[in-house]
Short mmCIF file of all heavy atoms in Angstrom, two decimals:
data_model
loop_
_atom_site.label_atom_id
_atom_site.label_comp_id
_atom_site.label_asym_id
_atom_site.label_seq_id
_atom_site.Cartn_x
_atom_site.Cartn_y
_atom_site.Cartn_z
N CYS A 35 112.07 132.16 153.76
CA CYS A 35 113.51 132.32 153.86
C CYS A 35 113.90 132.51 155.31
O CYS A 35 115.10 132.53 155.64
CB CYS A 35 113.95 133.51 153.00
SG CYS A 35 113.53 135.15 153.54
N LYS A 41 120.67 134.21 160.63
CA LYS A 41 120.33 135.63 160.52
C LYS A 41 119.30 135.92 159.52
O LYS A 41 119.29 135.31 158.41
CB LYS A 41 121.68 136.32 160.08
CG LYS A 41 121.75 137.81 160.40
CD LYS A 41 123.12 138.36 159.94
CE LYS A 41 122.90 139.75 159.55
NZ LYS A 41 123.99 140.31 158.78
N PRO A 42 118.27 136.72 159.90
CA PRO A 42 117.17 136.95 158.98
C PRO A 42 117.66 137.50 157.56
O PRO A 42 118.64 138.32 157.55
CB PRO A 42 116.30 137.95 159.62
CG PRO A 42 116.76 138.05 161.01
CD PRO A 42 118.16 137.50 161.13
N HIS A 43 117.02 137.01 156.52
CA HIS A 43 117.40 137.48 155.21
C HIS A 43 116.48 138.53 154.62
O HIS A 43 116.92 139.47 154.05
CB HIS A 43 117.42 136.24 154.33
CG HIS A 43 118.22 136.29 153.06
ND1 HIS A 43 117.62 136.07 151.84
CD2 HIS A 43 119.43 136.62 152.83
CE1 HIS A 43 118.55 136.31 150.85
NE2 HIS A 43 119.73 136.59 151.53
N GLY A 44 115.19 138.33 154.92
CA GLY A 44 114.20 139.35 154.49
C GLY A 44 113.96 139.33 152.98
O GLY A 44 113.58 140.42 152.47
N SER A 45 114.11 138.26 152.30
CA SER A 45 114.03 138.36 150.85
C SER A 45 112.69 137.79 150.28
O SER A 45 112.24 138.20 149.27
CB SER A 45 115.16 137.63 150.20
OG SER A 45 115.20 136.29 150.50
N CYS A 46 112.11 136.69 150.90
CA CYS A 46 111.01 136.13 150.21
C CYS A 46 109.71 136.96 150.39
O CYS A 46 108.82 136.91 149.61
CB CYS A 46 110.75 134.68 150.79
SG CYS A 46 109.91 134.65 152.50
N LYS A 47 109.70 137.76 151.52
CA LYS A 47 108.62 138.69 151.73
C LYS A 47 107.29 137.99 152.16
O LYS A 47 106.24 138.66 152.26
CB LYS A 47 108.38 139.70 150.64
CG LYS A 47 109.60 140.53 150.31
CD LYS A 47 110.08 141.42 151.44
CE LYS A 47 111.36 142.13 151.17
NZ LYS A 47 112.06 142.69 152.33
N LEU A 48 107.35 136.66 152.32
CA LEU A 48 106.05 136.03 152.67
C LEU A 48 105.61 136.42 154.01
O LEU A 48 104.40 136.41 154.38
CB LEU A 48 106.35 134.44 152.72
CG LEU A 48 105.78 133.63 151.55
CD1 LEU A 48 104.30 133.54 151.70
CD2 LEU A 48 106.17 134.28 150.20
N ALA A 59 108.49 143.42 156.49
CA ALA A 59 108.82 141.98 156.67
C ALA A 59 108.97 141.73 158.21
O ALA A 59 109.78 142.42 158.82
CB ALA A 59 110.09 141.65 155.92
N CYS A 61 110.28 139.35 159.70
CA CYS A 61 111.51 138.62 160.13
C CYS A 61 112.65 139.56 160.37
O CYS A 61 113.65 139.25 160.99
CB CYS A 61 111.93 137.53 159.10
SG CYS A 61 112.53 138.30 157.57
N THR A 62 112.47 140.81 159.90
CA THR A 62 113.58 141.77 160.14
C THR A 62 113.19 142.90 161.06
O THR A 62 113.92 143.71 161.49
CB THR A 62 114.13 142.34 158.88
OG1 THR A 62 113.04 142.89 158.02
CG2 THR A 62 114.81 141.27 157.99
N LEU A 89 106.54 132.79 142.84
CA LEU A 89 107.60 131.78 142.94
C LEU A 89 107.27 130.47 142.12
O LEU A 89 108.20 129.91 141.61
CB LEU A 89 107.76 131.41 144.43
CG LEU A 89 108.36 132.49 145.28
CD1 LEU A 89 108.25 132.07 146.80
CD2 LEU A 89 109.86 132.78 144.95
N GLU A 92 108.05 131.33 138.48
CA GLU A 92 109.35 131.61 138.22
C GLU A 92 110.22 130.45 137.90
O GLU A 92 111.05 130.43 137.10
CB GLU A 92 109.98 132.44 139.38
CG GLU A 92 111.46 132.84 139.15
CD GLU A 92 112.06 133.34 140.42
OE1 GLU A 92 111.61 133.04 141.61
OE2 GLU A 92 113.02 134.09 140.40
N ILE A 146 114.05 128.66 145.13
CA ILE A 146 113.32 129.90 145.36
C ILE A 146 114.16 131.04 145.87
O ILE A 146 113.75 132.00 146.40
CB ILE A 146 112.09 129.76 146.32
CG1 ILE A 146 112.56 129.14 147.66
CG2 ILE A 146 111.04 128.82 145.67
CD1 ILE A 146 111.50 129.13 148.77
N LEU A 147 115.52 130.80 145.81
CA LEU A 147 116.52 131.78 146.14
C LEU A 147 116.38 132.33 147.63
O LEU A 147 116.74 133.46 147.86
CB LEU A 147 116.44 132.96 145.20
CG LEU A 147 116.58 132.54 143.70
CD1 LEU A 147 116.14 133.57 142.82
CD2 LEU A 147 118.02 132.16 143.45
N CYS A 148 116.01 131.41 148.57
CA CYS A 148 115.87 131.79 149.86
C CYS A 148 117.17 131.99 150.57
O CYS A 148 117.28 132.62 151.66
CB CYS A 148 115.05 130.76 150.65
SG CYS A 148 115.91 129.21 150.94
N SER A 149 118.33 131.35 149.98
CA SER A 149 119.64 131.53 150.49
C SER A 149 119.84 130.82 151.80
O SER A 149 120.88 131.01 152.43
CB SER A 149 120.07 132.93 150.56
OG SER A 149 119.94 133.50 151.82
N ARG A 153 123.51 130.41 153.66
CA ARG A 153 123.79 130.88 155.02
C ARG A 153 124.28 129.62 155.92
O ARG A 153 125.19 129.80 156.66
CB ARG A 153 122.59 131.42 155.67
CG ARG A 153 122.24 132.92 155.06
CD ARG A 153 120.98 133.45 155.61
NE ARG A 153 119.81 133.03 154.88
CZ ARG A 153 118.59 133.10 155.33
NH1 ARG A 153 118.29 133.61 156.55
NH2 ARG A 153 117.57 132.69 154.52
N LEU A 166 124.75 132.69 145.75
CA LEU A 166 123.88 133.21 144.65
C LEU A 166 124.70 133.91 143.65
O LEU A 166 125.58 134.63 143.91
CB LEU A 166 122.85 134.19 145.33
CG LEU A 166 121.84 133.56 146.26
CD1 LEU A 166 120.87 134.63 146.75
CD2 LEU A 166 121.07 132.47 145.60
N ALA A 167 124.24 133.78 142.39
CA ALA A 167 124.95 134.38 141.27
C ALA A 167 123.88 135.08 140.42
O ALA A 167 122.72 134.83 140.47
CB ALA A 167 125.74 133.31 140.44
N ASP A 168 124.48 135.92 139.56
CA ASP A 168 123.69 136.73 138.60
C ASP A 168 122.79 137.65 139.41
O ASP A 168 122.86 137.74 140.59
CB ASP A 168 122.93 135.79 137.57
CG ASP A 168 123.33 136.03 136.15
OD1 ASP A 168 123.21 137.20 135.78
OD2 ASP A 168 123.75 135.11 135.46
N ARG A 169 121.82 138.24 138.65
CA ARG A 169 120.93 139.18 139.34
C ARG A 169 119.52 139.15 138.66
O ARG A 169 119.35 138.69 137.58
CB ARG A 169 121.47 140.60 139.47
CG ARG A 169 121.41 141.30 138.09
CD ARG A 169 121.82 142.82 138.34
NE ARG A 169 121.55 143.62 137.15
CZ ARG A 169 122.40 144.53 136.66
NH1 ARG A 169 123.44 144.76 137.35
NH2 ARG A 169 122.06 145.16 135.56
N GLY A 170 118.51 139.83 139.28
CA GLY A 170 117.29 139.88 138.78
C GLY A 170 116.60 138.55 138.46
O GLY A 170 116.89 137.62 139.33
N ILE A 171 115.89 138.44 137.53
CA ILE A 171 115.18 137.19 137.19
C ILE A 171 116.13 136.14 136.81
O ILE A 171 115.82 134.91 136.77
CB ILE A 171 114.08 137.43 136.05
CG1 ILE A 171 113.02 136.28 136.06
CG2 ILE A 171 114.74 137.55 134.70
CD1 ILE A 171 112.17 136.27 137.28
N GLN A 172 117.42 136.48 136.47
CA GLN A 172 118.48 135.51 136.17
C GLN A 172 119.08 134.97 137.43
O GLN A 172 119.99 134.07 137.30
CB GLN A 172 119.53 136.20 135.29
CG GLN A 172 119.05 136.84 134.02
CD GLN A 172 118.37 135.96 133.06
OE1 GLN A 172 118.65 134.75 133.05
NE2 GLN A 172 117.46 136.42 132.27
N SER A 173 118.79 135.47 138.59
CA SER A 173 119.45 135.00 139.80
C SER A 173 119.34 133.46 139.91
O SER A 173 118.31 132.89 139.62
CB SER A 173 118.78 135.67 141.07
OG SER A 173 118.89 137.06 141.01
N HIS A 174 120.47 132.85 140.34
CA HIS A 174 120.48 131.47 140.55
C HIS A 174 121.48 131.08 141.56
O HIS A 174 122.39 131.79 141.91
CB HIS A 174 120.58 130.77 139.22
CG HIS A 174 121.92 131.02 138.54
ND1 HIS A 174 122.12 132.13 137.76
CD2 HIS A 174 123.06 130.28 138.56
CE1 HIS A 174 123.37 132.03 137.29
NE2 HIS A 174 123.99 130.96 137.80
N PHE B 59 126.92 139.67 139.39
CA PHE B 59 125.96 140.58 139.73
C PHE B 59 126.05 141.89 138.89
O PHE B 59 125.05 142.52 138.57
CB PHE B 59 126.08 141.00 141.17
CG PHE B 59 125.02 141.87 141.74
CD1 PHE B 59 123.86 141.39 142.20
CD2 PHE B 59 125.18 143.29 141.68
CE1 PHE B 59 122.83 142.16 142.65
CE2 PHE B 59 124.16 144.10 142.19
CZ PHE B 59 122.90 143.59 142.59
N VAL B 352 120.96 149.53 140.92
CA VAL B 352 120.47 149.40 142.37
C VAL B 352 121.49 149.93 143.36
O VAL B 352 121.19 150.30 144.46
CB VAL B 352 120.09 147.94 142.62
CG1 VAL B 352 121.25 147.07 142.74
CG2 VAL B 352 119.13 147.87 143.84
N SER B 357 122.22 151.69 150.88
CA SER B 357 122.77 150.48 151.52
C SER B 357 123.29 149.44 150.53
O SER B 357 124.23 148.71 150.84
CB SER B 357 121.70 149.82 152.36
OG SER B 357 120.59 149.34 151.68
N ALA B 358 122.72 149.49 149.41
CA ALA B 358 123.30 148.58 148.29
C ALA B 358 124.63 149.16 147.96
O ALA B 358 125.67 148.39 147.65
CB ALA B 358 122.37 148.59 147.09
N GLU B 361 127.12 147.96 150.30
CA GLU B 361 127.43 146.64 150.13
C GLU B 361 128.50 146.46 149.01
O GLU B 361 129.48 145.72 149.07
CB GLU B 361 126.13 145.83 149.78
CG GLU B 361 125.29 145.49 150.87
CD GLU B 361 125.71 144.40 151.80
OE1 GLU B 361 125.82 143.25 151.33
OE2 GLU B 361 125.96 144.68 152.99
N ARG B 367 127.89 141.78 146.38
CA ARG B 367 126.81 142.04 145.45
C ARG B 367 126.01 143.17 145.94
O ARG B 367 125.85 143.35 147.16
CB ARG B 367 125.84 140.80 145.56
CG ARG B 367 126.47 139.54 144.92
CD ARG B 367 125.76 138.25 145.31
NE ARG B 367 124.38 138.24 144.89
CZ ARG B 367 123.98 137.91 143.65
NH1 ARG B 367 124.93 137.50 142.72
NH2 ARG B 367 122.77 137.84 143.26
N GLY B 368 125.50 143.99 145.10
CA GLY B 368 124.85 145.26 145.51
C GLY B 368 123.43 145.00 145.81
O GLY B 368 122.58 145.52 145.21
N THR B 369 123.22 144.38 146.89
CA THR B 369 121.81 144.05 147.33
C THR B 369 121.45 144.98 148.53
O THR B 369 122.33 145.21 149.46
CB THR B 369 121.73 142.63 147.89
OG1 THR B 369 122.09 141.76 146.88
CG2 THR B 369 120.38 142.29 148.41
N PRO B 370 120.36 145.70 148.41
CA PRO B 370 119.97 146.66 149.53
C PRO B 370 119.85 145.89 150.83
O PRO B 370 119.34 144.76 150.84
CB PRO B 370 118.64 147.17 149.11
CG PRO B 370 118.65 147.03 147.62
CD PRO B 370 119.39 145.74 147.31
N ARG B 371 120.26 146.44 151.91
CA ARG B 371 120.26 145.81 153.17
C ARG B 371 118.86 145.98 153.84
O ARG B 371 118.05 146.77 153.45
CB ARG B 371 121.28 146.49 154.13
CG ARG B 371 122.74 146.27 153.71
CD ARG B 371 123.59 147.03 154.75
NE ARG B 371 125.03 146.75 154.42
CZ ARG B 371 126.05 147.33 155.09
NH1 ARG B 371 125.80 148.30 156.00
NH2 ARG B 371 127.24 147.04 154.76
N ASN B 372 118.71 145.07 154.85
CA ASN B 372 117.54 145.31 155.77
C ASN B 372 117.75 146.49 156.66
O ASN B 372 118.85 146.59 157.25
CB ASN B 372 117.34 144.06 156.60
CG ASN B 372 116.79 142.84 155.76
OD1 ASN B 372 115.84 142.99 155.04
ND2 ASN B 372 117.49 141.76 155.84
N ARG B 373 116.81 147.37 156.73
CA ARG B 373 116.95 148.52 157.62
C ARG B 373 115.71 148.69 158.47
O ARG B 373 114.60 148.39 157.98
CB ARG B 373 117.07 149.81 156.77
CG ARG B 373 118.48 149.85 156.12
CD ARG B 373 118.44 150.74 154.95
NE ARG B 373 117.52 150.32 153.92
CZ ARG B 373 117.01 151.12 152.96
NH1 ARG B 373 117.26 152.36 152.94
NH2 ARG B 373 116.18 150.57 152.14
N ALA B 509 113.21 145.95 135.09
CA ALA B 509 113.34 144.49 135.07
C ALA B 509 114.78 144.12 134.85
O ALA B 509 115.31 143.23 135.54
CB ALA B 509 112.55 143.85 133.93
N GLU B 511 117.32 145.92 135.82
CA GLU B 511 118.15 146.43 137.05
C GLU B 511 117.69 145.85 138.40
O GLU B 511 118.32 146.05 139.36
CB GLU B 511 118.11 147.95 137.03
CG GLU B 511 118.86 148.54 135.82
CD GLU B 511 120.28 148.33 135.75
OE1 GLU B 511 120.91 147.78 136.72
OE2 GLU B 511 120.92 148.47 134.67
N SER B 512 116.59 145.10 138.37
CA SER B 512 116.20 144.48 139.64
C SER B 512 117.36 143.61 140.15
O SER B 512 117.87 142.82 139.41
CB SER B 512 114.91 143.68 139.46
OG SER B 512 114.67 142.86 140.56
N CYS B 513 117.69 143.72 141.48
CA CYS B 513 118.75 142.93 141.96
C CYS B 513 118.43 141.54 142.15
O CYS B 513 119.32 140.66 142.29
CB CYS B 513 119.36 143.56 143.23
SG CYS B 513 118.42 143.17 144.70
N GLY B 514 117.12 141.20 142.25
CA GLY B 514 116.73 139.75 142.38
C GLY B 514 116.57 139.29 143.77
O GLY B 514 116.32 138.12 143.97
N PHE B 515 116.85 140.23 144.71
CA PHE B 515 116.86 139.75 146.15
C PHE B 515 115.47 139.37 146.59
O PHE B 515 115.22 138.30 147.13
CB PHE B 515 117.47 140.93 146.95
CG PHE B 515 117.39 140.67 148.42
CD1 PHE B 515 118.23 139.82 149.12
CD2 PHE B 515 116.41 141.33 149.23
CE1 PHE B 515 118.19 139.53 150.43
CE2 PHE B 515 116.34 141.07 150.61
CZ PHE B 515 117.19 140.29 151.21
N CYS B 516 114.50 140.29 146.42
CA CYS B 516 113.14 139.95 147.00
C CYS B 516 112.24 139.50 145.86
O CYS B 516 112.27 139.87 144.72
CB CYS B 516 112.56 141.16 147.71
SG CYS B 516 111.99 142.48 146.64
N THR B 517 111.36 138.56 146.31
CA THR B 517 110.39 137.87 145.34
C THR B 517 109.60 138.92 144.60
O THR B 517 109.54 138.80 143.32
CB THR B 517 109.50 136.99 146.19
OG1 THR B 517 110.25 136.15 146.96
CG2 THR B 517 108.53 136.22 145.20
N PRO B 518 108.91 139.86 145.18
CA PRO B 518 107.97 140.70 144.41
C PRO B 518 108.73 141.50 143.26
O PRO B 518 108.12 141.58 142.20
CB PRO B 518 107.43 141.74 145.48
CG PRO B 518 108.24 141.61 146.65
CD PRO B 518 108.88 140.21 146.63
N CYS B 519 109.89 142.04 143.56
CA CYS B 519 110.57 142.78 142.56
C CYS B 519 111.18 141.88 141.51
O CYS B 519 111.07 142.19 140.32
CB CYS B 519 111.65 143.71 143.19
SG CYS B 519 112.57 144.75 142.07
N ARG B 520 111.87 140.83 141.95
CA ARG B 520 112.53 139.96 140.96
C ARG B 520 111.49 139.40 139.99
O ARG B 520 111.76 139.42 138.76
CB ARG B 520 113.21 138.76 141.79
CG ARG B 520 113.98 137.81 140.90
CD ARG B 520 114.63 136.71 141.68
NE ARG B 520 113.60 135.74 142.24
CZ ARG B 520 113.42 135.53 143.53
NH1 ARG B 520 114.16 136.12 144.49
NH2 ARG B 520 112.47 134.71 143.98
N VAL B 521 110.43 138.88 140.46
CA VAL B 521 109.50 138.25 139.51
C VAL B 521 108.52 139.32 139.00
O VAL B 521 108.18 139.29 137.76
CB VAL B 521 108.71 137.14 140.27
CG1 VAL B 521 107.84 136.37 139.26
CG2 VAL B 521 109.62 136.16 140.97
N THR B 523 108.83 142.52 138.31
CA THR B 523 109.20 143.47 137.30
C THR B 523 109.33 142.70 135.99
O THR B 523 109.08 143.23 134.87
CB THR B 523 110.66 144.06 137.60
OG1 THR B 523 111.56 143.06 137.90
CG2 THR B 523 110.55 145.12 138.72
N MET B 556 105.05 145.20 148.83
CA MET B 556 105.89 144.19 149.37
C MET B 556 107.41 144.27 149.04
O MET B 556 108.18 143.53 149.54
CB MET B 556 105.39 142.85 148.74
CG MET B 556 103.85 142.68 148.73
SD MET B 556 103.15 142.37 150.40
CE MET B 556 103.24 140.62 150.50
N SER B 557 107.78 145.17 148.09
CA SER B 557 109.17 145.18 147.66
C SER B 557 110.11 145.61 148.75
O SER B 557 109.80 146.33 149.74
CB SER B 557 109.40 146.13 146.51
OG SER B 557 108.78 145.56 145.33
N HIS B 558 111.35 145.25 148.56
CA HIS B 558 112.42 145.45 149.55
C HIS B 558 112.98 146.89 149.59
O HIS B 558 113.35 147.36 150.62
CB HIS B 558 113.56 144.43 149.35
CG HIS B 558 114.68 144.47 150.31
ND1 HIS B 558 114.40 144.11 151.67
CD2 HIS B 558 115.95 144.81 150.22
CE1 HIS B 558 115.57 144.25 152.29
NE2 HIS B 558 116.57 144.61 151.43
N CYS B 559 112.98 147.46 148.38
CA CYS B 559 113.56 148.81 148.29
C CYS B 559 112.82 149.60 147.26
O CYS B 559 111.84 149.18 146.59
CB CYS B 559 115.09 148.74 147.95
SG CYS B 559 115.50 148.43 146.28
N LEU B 561 113.54 150.50 144.35
CA LEU B 561 113.47 150.08 142.93
C LEU B 561 112.05 149.41 142.63
O LEU B 561 111.38 149.69 141.69
CB LEU B 561 114.63 149.14 142.66
CG LEU B 561 114.83 148.84 141.14
CD1 LEU B 561 116.33 148.47 140.96
CD2 LEU B 561 113.95 147.81 140.53
N GLY B 562 111.74 148.42 143.47
CA GLY B 562 110.46 147.77 143.40
C GLY B 562 109.31 148.75 143.59
O GLY B 562 108.33 148.62 142.87
#
Side-chain angles (χ1 to χ4, degrees):
Chain A
C35 73
K41 202 176 148 197
H43 199 235
S45 63
C46 76
K47 302 298 175 196
L48 256 289
C61 70
T62 54
L89 290 170
E92 181 192 21
I146 56 169
L147 303 163
C148 68
S149 95
R153 287 176 276 164
L166 293 181
D168 240 307
R169 75 170 188 221
I171 197 70
Q172 307 296 333
S173 301
H174 63 277
Chain B
F59 185 87
V352 74
S357 68
E361 288 283 296
R367 294 161 62 80
T369 302
R371 292 178 175 175
N372 288 307
R373 287 157 302 157
E511 295 296 345
S512 169
C513 79
F515 173 77
C516 74
T517 309
C519 178
R520 182 180 68 244
V521 187
T523 53
M556 317 288 271
S557 292
H558 185 65
C559 79
L561 193 157

